[in-house]
Structure formats: structure tokens, C-alpha cells
Amino acid sequence: MTEHDPPPSLAQRDDAARGPRALGGLRRTTPPTKAAGLRAIRAALEHMKREGYGALEGTRELARMNQKDGFDCSGCAWPDPDGHRSSVAEYCENGAKAFAEEATKKRCDPAFFERHSVEELARLSDFELSQAGRLTEPMVLRSGATHYAPISWDEAFAVVGDALRGLANPDEAFFYTSGRTSNEAAFLYQLFARQYGTNNLPDCSNMCHESSGVGLSETLGIGKGSVTLEDVESAELIVVMGQNPGTNHPRMLSALQKAKRGGARIVSVNPLREAGLLRFQHPQSARDLLTGGTELTDLFLQVRVNGDVAFLKAALVLLARREAASPGTVFDSSFIEEHTEGLDALLEDLHDQDLDGLVAASGLSVAELEAFCDLVVARPKMIVCWAMGLTQHRNGVENVREVVNLLLLRGAIGKPGAGTCPVRGHSNVQGDRTVGIWERPSDAFLDRLGEAFDFEPPRHHGHSVVHAIEAMGSGDAKVFFAMGGNFLSATPDTDVTAAALRRCALTAHVSTKLNRSHLVHGRTALILPCLTRSELDEQANGEQFVTVENSMGIVHRSEGSRAPASAALRSEPAIVAGIARATLGERSGVDWDGLVADYDAIRDGIERVVPGFEDYNRRVRRPGGFALPNGARERRFATPSGRARFTVNRVPEVEVGEDELRLMTIRTHDQFNTTIYGLDDRYRGLAGERRVVLMNRRDMEQRGLRDETLVDIEGRREAAGRVAEGFLAVAYDIPEGCAATYFPEANVLVPLGVRAERSNTPASKLVVVSILPASA
């Protein structure tokens, strides 16, 4: 393969990228019917103990998490209460696990790398890699070397600077961002990349909620949700679609419980019946511990994988029929007339639909749909929450737009207790986008950036994640720099992505712990260790704090106080500044050292460039921070017409043969994104093994598979030729014709070329596969 050949649709198997196949011994119990409770407390303390903390010490360390004068959890982006916060624990079980990971007393130091070659490390599981501990010093893997070796910070910056200056074109470099990155680090990072000359700023949002941003922007004029935490707690009807909050956003359960106790009804729409949406037992409530907690879900709708548009469109057909039979009783006519456009086209489409076909495509019954419509009509204050179960489909944007159709018909946008609620999966992924991490920036943003920092930013759009992988695979990109994250394990088509990374001249990762992306690398590789949010960040002008934006557009401060894991660690802003100096030199008129000396100076820069950050430094010092402008929240829609848009969305046609299944990827309860905390998927009754595939019992019987048979998962259709070997088939409550298995182990099956239209989000929630007894 020459440097200019196109990337192959398939790549050679890469065992280092895939990780080990060894089975750990599956243990099974009956899945619980409630979430949290004393078991969550015990699990949190067990993880703290594993990382070197006794119960009292661990509880004391956790006490500052999510407090107004403390540090923000590095996990999910669910908002903190604006008023009273628990003085005991304003965090969840998985937040405690996230803290334990970064606060561990284990160290991954130069001696560790001297003992273990890259080849040896690649044979470890993702969990074993994380257990090596915190990275302590910059490390380099030089061309041809077998082991990482220490390198000074100045030398590391020079390696990056030399590589970037040696490129023929700035677009031969990619600057990836993880959602953990603070506003300050992200703003400096994009400023550096654009002064260098590229908009190649792919980020983790490309792989999760990009479909939300596109769908909401097209219909409501803003790519963010419209609700506040107070709206959730005061809603009359909450619909949770394609989301498992008990594992991925556990603090959301407290808000759902408060809403339920206030009289709300909750509908869960998902292929899997998740414990976190059945019943919640608040671990700090004596009442809950004695009574068993609060039942959450009133109506569970078990759609088939990617049956969401069919479900929503069938519901809209039924609602339209009710409105026609009794005008003015279902649709909010005054809202529709004053604030929307496109209703006639939507109604014409609904009139032409085959209801029986929609019902069959959804996997539901007419009775279930009528029950849902009864709730919708009786409860006008309605919120729809969703996550990757909607966005990671080829039709992810259409899924989101159909949610908006439902809300617009009911006038459930821009009023208390109603609106859109895309629940972001990483703590500052929304904030990073707000301050400029985007491969397709607007001209207005670039104009303000150029004026504030006296340069002409590049105007041509850059590459998103999937296009970045293609460019690296074809040899059109040669440097990959990652600000956090575990890019290899987060991305689709593992073998293809690995081959792309291996073609780079340099791969560099700003990280806190060892991960698989460090082991599948370019000719030269760097690991640059950074501070975590809970650690003290001291710069030339004293102790610093950073800021983040939560899933509902609230910007607030986060300030660490713990001693850093190593004296050699640097903050993310300091690392960006070091690379900028080494790369740009006198080309840049930015005072990088001055910006890092006092983060107030960075925030002053954000204020000059990003609307909504006026008086940033003063407002963010107020307890709880401040809310960014949100037009949809106020019924101001920044669409070309100034009106919210109804849209016509097609029902996806998925070809599935008799021997094929619809496979979706999911997380366990013991992981956050690509970070594996352990091997216990407690809420699904599975422990000790991650290589499992959940199947409907009838599907297993048709294939002659017994429970816990060792199987291979073979891709079909666009995924043909891709195989994930050595999984245990487990009978589970999942719709017939569907299956589920864990990410990132199943990423090898997700084709790079199958992605959502317009958002380019990988379609990780639907891969057509066959499941067969494992080959010898």
C-alpha cells in the first residue's frame, strides 16, 4: 500500500488493538429491580479501597466533589442542584468510581515502562491497563523502540513542534479533544490549532451527540437541550428514550424521583429493561432504605433496535387522528400558529402512513401506543430525554427531529416543565464545543477569534472523527494529537482505526492513565501526563480553577485541592502553551505564558470571542455559576425563518435476513465510556466477564445455542468480513431479532463507513450480524 492509496474498507486484524480474548469466568445473578441503595454505597467504598483508601479517608476525599467550592466530577454531564446540595455526598456510585480512578495511589512510572514492553502491555485487558496507576512523567516511544522511555517536557514539546513544522500542510495534523477537557484548556487548544493553520478539531461529540446537535439546530435553531434541572423536577410527563441513566447518569435518578413524587409519569423507551429506570432507592434517604425506594417507570415500551422513528411516527399518527376527531384537544394550536412552520407537510405525511406497518416496525402493540398517547394528551408539560440509543444510528438526526415533532405538536418547548433534554455523556463535552472545539466553525466565530488575537484563522472546514481516521489511513494525515480520551477504543472499526494510527509519523496523547491508544501508535509516540480536576493546579500567579458547562448549559467553576500524583505533572492549559511555543515560535503574537500564569486571562479571551460569556470572571465566581443564553428555552428560534420547524422523517428500512440479528453496543455498570472500572455489570446480573452477547432466548433456540455457549459474532451487510470472536451467548430480556454486547470490545464490528447522515456519527447502535458457535 503506497502513501496515497485510499484506505481499505477492511484492515488486517490487529490483536494489540482488540485486546485479549481470555475468558474471566462469567457469574450470573437475577438482575435487580431497583438501583442505588446500600449496594451502591458498598460498591463505591470497595473501589476506593482498591485504589488505596480506607472508608473514612475515601469519604473525606469525595466530600468536595460537585460542591460549589469543590471540583466537578469528571464523569457525566448531569447538572448539579442550584440550591441545596448534600453535605454528605453530592455524587453517585459511578462518580465515586471515576474519582477513585484518578485519585489512585498506584503509579505508572518510568520503572513500570522499563519492566514492560509495548508488546507485553498490549496483551493486557483494558481493565488491567487502568490498574497500572497514574502516569507520572512524560514518556516517549521512539521509532523502532520496544519500550517507552522518559523524556523531559521541553524535549517532548520539541518533538511535537518539529513534527508539526515539518508537515507540508497544517491539515496533515489532527487535534482531537475528549469531553473531560476544561473550557480554558479547550479554548487555548483550538486557538493554537487555528493559529497553526487548521480546523482539524475532531472531538468525542462527533461520536455521540453530534446527531442531537444537528437535529436540534435544524428544527429549533440551537444544538443544545432546552430544559433546566428545575424543569425536569416539575414536569408532568418524562419520556426517557435510548438511555440507561442508572449506569450512565445515575444522579439523574434523583431528579426523576423528585418529579415522580411531584406527580409526574415516566415512560421508558428502550430495547432493554434497565434496573435504573424501574425503581430508585436513594442511598441517603432512610425512608427509601426502609421502604424500597420509588418506582420510576409507569410505562415501559420495549422497542426493537432502531424502532424509534417508527414508534414516534405511529404515536403522531394516533395523536393526529385524535385531533381530527376533536379539534383543539390534542395539538397546541396557538403555539403552533405563532411559533412553528411545516405542520401541513407533517400532517400530509402522517395521513399517508400505514399504521400497522409502523407498529410492526417499532416492535410494540397498538394498545401500548394508545397508552402512551393517553399520557401525552393528559400531561402537556412533557420532557423527552435521550442519549446514544437515538443518536448512534444511520438515521440518528431523524430520530432527534421526530422527538422535536412530538414536542412541537404539544407546545412542549419553551415553557416550565417541558422541552428537549439530550443527556450528554461526558462532563464538559458541551462546553468544549461552546468555546470552539469544532471542525466546522462559523464565520462569525472565526471573525471574533481573529480580531481578539490578531490573526486570520483558516476558513475551510476540517475533519470530524470518521473523516480523520480515513485521512490517516490514506496517508493524507501524519500527526495525531489527543487532548485526553482513549481514541482507539472510542472509535468504530477497530482494525481500520488501528491501521490508520500506525501510519502516522507521530501520535501524542495527553492522559492521566495508561490506555490502549498508547499501545497502537505512530512511528514515534508520546504520553504527556496531566493533572486531574481534583488536584491542585498552581501556576505562576498562584492557585487556579477551571470551568465547565453541564448538559443544561450552566457554566461553573471546578477547583482541585489534592496534591498532584507527581511533581512532574502539568495542567492541560500548560501543555497546550508548551506545544504552541515550540511549534509557532515568533509566528504567534499570543502571550501563551501569560495566559497560563492566570486562567482569568484565558477566560477574558473566551469572553471576547464567545457570546454569552459577558463578565465571565465575575459571574463564574458566584456559587453555582451562570446559565448561557438558550433561545429555545424562551421560544426564540434561531432558524432562517425564526420559527421552530416541523420535519418529515422517513422510517429506516433495515434489511435483516432470517439468520441475522440487529446488534447494538452498550456499556456495563462498571465502566464509563472507555474506562473500565471492573467486571461487574450488576444491574444486568452479570459479573466476571465482558465478552458476552445478550440474546433473546427464542433466537438462541433457533440457532441451536445453549445458555453461555461460546460464539463468534460475524458482521453482515455493510459489516461483512468483520468478526468478533469468543463471546458467551446469554439469554436475556431483549426483543426477538435483536442482540446487545459491550463497547469497546464490539467496536471491531462497526463499519467506519456506516454513519448518521449529516452528523457522521458512527452507527454503533445497529450492526447487522450473525451469531454462530465459535470456530475452533
Side-chain angles (χ1 to χ4, degrees):
M1 185 174 185
T2 67
E3 180 171 310
H4 300 290
D5 285 339
S9 57
L10 288 171
Q12 183 177 356
R13 178 189 178 90
D14 194 319
D15 287 327
R18 291 178 173 225
R21 289 177 53 189
L23 298 175
L26 180 65
R27 302 186 304 277
R28 299 173 66 179
T29 57
T30 301
T33 57
K34 61 186 176 185
L38 292 175
R39 184 65 187 87
I41 297 174
R42 186 162 66 250
L45 293 176
E46 287 171 354
H47 277 76
M48 291 297 295
K49 181 179 179 180
R50 188 183 72 196
E51 304 305 331
Y53 293 86
L56 290 178
E57 183 185 13
T59 302
R60 185 171 60 250
E61 290 283 353
L62 284 164
R64 294 189 69 245
M65 180 184 284
N66 297 325
Q67 298 295 340
K68 293 180 180 179
D69 61 348
F71 62 92
D72 196 59
C73 176
S74 61
C76 82
W78 189 255
D80 306 311
D82 188 42
H84 172 73
R85 300 188 187 181
S86 170
S87 59
V88 178
E90 191 55 62
Y91 53 86
C92 65
E93 173 189 344
N94 277 5
K97 292 176 182 176
F99 174 76
E101 280 285 306
E102 69 178 44
T104 180
K105 296 182 180 181
K106 303 170 188 173
R107 297 292 179 262
C108 187
D109 57 15
F112 174 89
F113 287 102
E114 187 176 3
R115 292 193 303 271
H116 302 289
S117 68
V118 171
E119 182 180 356
E120 291 170 350
L121 292 172
R123 292 196 288 267
L124 299 179
S125 69
D126 292 335
F127 173 62
E128 290 169 326
L129 290 174
S130 74
Q131 289 302 293
R134 284 289 300 279
L135 296 160
T136 62
E137 296 182 31
M139 304 297 293
V140 62
L141 183 70
R142 301 191 186 278
S143 180
T146 59
H147 291 65
Y148 274 97
I151 185 174
S152 72
W153 278 108
D154 286 344
E155 289 175 308
F157 294 151
V159 168
V160 177
D162 290 346
L164 292 174
R165 288 196 309 275
L167 297 180
N169 187 309
D171 289 334
E172 292 182 346
F174 286 100
F175 299 95
Y176 173 76
T177 310
S178 161
R180 184 201 68 214
T181 308
S182 68
N183 286 342
E184 291 74 13
F187 184 78
L188 274 197
Y189 193 45
Q190 64 82 33
L191 174 61
F192 158 62
R194 291 182 168 118
Q195 286 216 331
Y196 173 64
T198 186
N199 283 312
N200 281 342
L201 285 157
D203 71 332
C204 60
S205 186
N206 294 153
M207 294 181 284
C208 56
H209 269 288
E210 197 71 51
S211 295
S212 297
V214 173
L216 291 173
S217 295
E218 290 177 352
T219 55
L220 302 178
I222 184 171
K224 302 178 182 182
S226 67
V227 302
T228 65
L229 187 57
E230 291 73 22
D231 288 326
V232 175
E233 294 172 347
S234 63
E236 295 173 336
L237 176 63
I238 301 173
V239 184
V240 182
M241 299 187 65
Q243 183 192 2
N244 178 17
T247 287
N248 300 328
H249 316 93
R251 287 201 300 154
M252 180 178 174
L253 300 183
S254 299
L256 294 179
Q257 182 186 58
K258 188 170 183 178
K260 191 67 186 292
R261 288 178 174 173
R265 296 292 180 265
I266 296 174
V267 178
S268 301
V269 185
N270 201 49
L272 296 176
R273 191 186 303 267
E274 302 287 15
L277 282 169
L278 298 179
R279 179 177 289 271
F280 173 57
Q281 190 177 47
H282 200 303
Q284 296 183 49
S285 167
R287 167 186 166 184
D288 277 16
L289 296 177
L290 290 172
T291 64
T294 304
E295 184 178 356
L296 295 180
T297 294
D298 296 281
L299 177 63
F300 173 57
L301 300 177
Q302 192 170 32
V303 294
R304 70 196 305 184
V305 172
N306 204 19
D308 305 284
V309 169
F311 152 63
L312 289 166
K313 194 177 285 286
L316 293 178
V317 168
L318 293 173
L319 291 171
R321 290 180 180 179
R322 294 189 186 194
E323 173 68 13
S326 183
T329 62
V330 178
F331 295 173
D332 187 333
S333 300
S334 60
F335 169 84
I336 291 171
E337 183 176 352
E338 183 177 355
H339 294 290
T340 73
E341 62 182 3
L343 176 64
D344 290 344
L346 175 65
L347 292 179
E348 182 179 350
D349 174 69
L350 296 178
H351 180 269
D352 294 340
Q353 292 297 317
D354 172 17
L355 180 61
D356 291 338
L358 293 175
V359 172
S362 72
L364 303 172
S365 67
V366 173
E368 289 175 312
L369 286 160
E370 292 283 12
F372 174 71
C373 290
D374 289 344
L375 289 170
V376 171
V377 172
R379 296 171 174 271
K381 293 170 60 177
M382 173 173 60
I383 289 173
V384 181
C385 307
W386 71 89
M388 270 83 83
L390 291 195
T391 63
Q392 289 182 330
H393 287 285
R394 194 193 298 258
N395 51 288
V397 174
E398 283 73 21
N399 284 340
V400 173
R401 299 199 324 175
E402 202 72 352
V403 167
V404 173
N405 281 340
L406 174 63
L407 293 169
L408 291 179
L409 284 177
R410 295 292 293 151
I413 296 279
K415 67 181 182 182
T420 57
C421 185
V423 184
R424 308 283 176 172
H426 211 161
S427 176
N428 198 42
V429 63
Q430 187 161 294
D432 290 346
R433 179 62 59 87
T434 298
V435 301
I437 299 296
W438 196 22
E439 74 278 4
R440 294 180 288 121
S442 68
D443 285 339
F445 175 87
L446 295 176
D447 288 343
R448 292 189 297 268
L449 184 69
E451 182 179 358
F453 292 93
D454 193 24
F455 78 108
E456 180 54 44
R459 296 286 166 163
H460 58 282
H461 287 171
H463 287 324
S464 66
V465 164
V466 293
H467 295 122
I469 295 169
E470 291 172 343
M472 290 187 287
S474 66
D476 292 334
K478 299 176 176 63
V479 173
F480 176 80
F481 191 99
M483 182 60 67
N486 180 358
F487 185 80
L488 173 70
S489 295
T491 48
D493 228 343
T494 306
D495 294 334
V496 172
T497 300
L501 289 168
R502 291 189 188 280
R503 294 203 70 184
C504 290
L506 172 68
T507 51
H509 298 267
V510 177
S511 305
T512 59
K513 301 188 78 175
L514 186 64
N515 66 55
R516 195 159 301 280
S517 293
H518 304 140
L519 311 177
V520 177
H521 51 79
R523 286 195 297 277
T524 300
L526 287 169
I527 303 174
L528 307 176
C530 67
L531 296 170
T532 66
R533 288 186 188 167
S534 64
E535 291 173 321
L536 182 66
D537 183 354
E538 190 159 6
Q539 302 298 333
N541 287 7
E543 296 178 6
Q544 305 296 316
F545 68 86
V546 296
T547 60
V548 295
E549 178 186 346
N550 66 34
S551 197
M552 294 179 181
I554 307 299
V555 178
H556 59 98
R557 63 187 287 168
S558 173
E559 186 169 8
S561 59
R562 299 178 57 255
S566 164
L569 301 182
R570 295 202 180 182
S571 73
E572 289 176 325
I575 293 171
V576 173
I579 293 167
R581 289 193 306 271
T583 303
L584 302 176
E586 295 182 0
R587 281 180 49 199
S588 173
V590 174
D591 181 6
W592 300 100
D593 290 334
L595 290 173
V596 172
D598 187 340
Y599 294 174
D600 276 0
I602 304 176
R603 289 185 282 272
D604 286 340
I606 295 173
E607 180 179 335
R608 294 198 301 272
V609 174
V610 185
F613 284 85
E614 295 79 12
D615 203 10
Y616 191 1
N617 276 306
R618 183 186 66 81
R619 289 197 295 158
V620 83
R621 283 176 163 84
R622 296 191 309 214
F626 61 92
L628 291 173
N630 189 303
R633 191 173 291 164
E634 301 169 0
R635 295 190 169 179
R636 291 183 294 101
F637 303 107
T639 60
S641 66
R643 290 174 171 265
R645 297 179 57 234
F646 287 104
T647 54
V648 175
N649 304 295
R650 70 192 187 283
V651 177
E653 296 180 3
V654 182
E655 295 185 8
V656 181
E658 290 186 5
D659 66 332
E660 297 171 343
L661 299 170
R662 302 174 179 221
L663 178 77
M664 67 176 183
T665 62
I666 57 177
R667 300 181 197 167
T668 78
H669 190 62
D670 245 359
Q671 83 180 89
F672 180 75
N673 293 341
T674 59
T675 302
I676 311 301
Y677 300 137
L679 303 177
D680 186 0
D681 194 3
R682 186 172 80 250
Y683 289 164
R684 298 190 183 106
L686 303 170
E689 178 54 65
R690 289 184 52 84
R691 298 182 77 85
V692 300
V693 56
L694 310 182
M695 299 179 65
N696 182 282
R697 188 173 294 278
R698 286 188 293 274
D699 289 328
M700 295 180 67
E701 291 171 350
Q702 290 171 5
R703 289 158 178 76
L705 301 176
R706 296 182 177 179
D707 223 3
E708 300 186 30
T709 296
L710 191 64
V711 298
D712 294 338
I713 310 173
E714 298 186 0
R716 294 287 185 259
R717 314 286 169 168
E718 296 98 335
R722 294 163 175 82
V723 182
E725 302 101 336
F727 285 68
L728 293 175
V730 172
Y732 203 81
D733 181 9
I734 189 170
E736 194 168 357
C738 301
T741 190
Y742 299 139
F743 138 102
E745 287 82 355
N747 285 358
V748 65
L749 296 165
V750 182
L752 184 66
V754 179
R755 52 232 195 188
E757 296 178 10
R758 299 194 302 286
S759 73
N760 290 307
T761 299
S764 301
K765 294 299 184 185
L766 175 54
V767 182
V768 178
V769 301
S770 290
I771 297 179
L772 307 168
S775 57

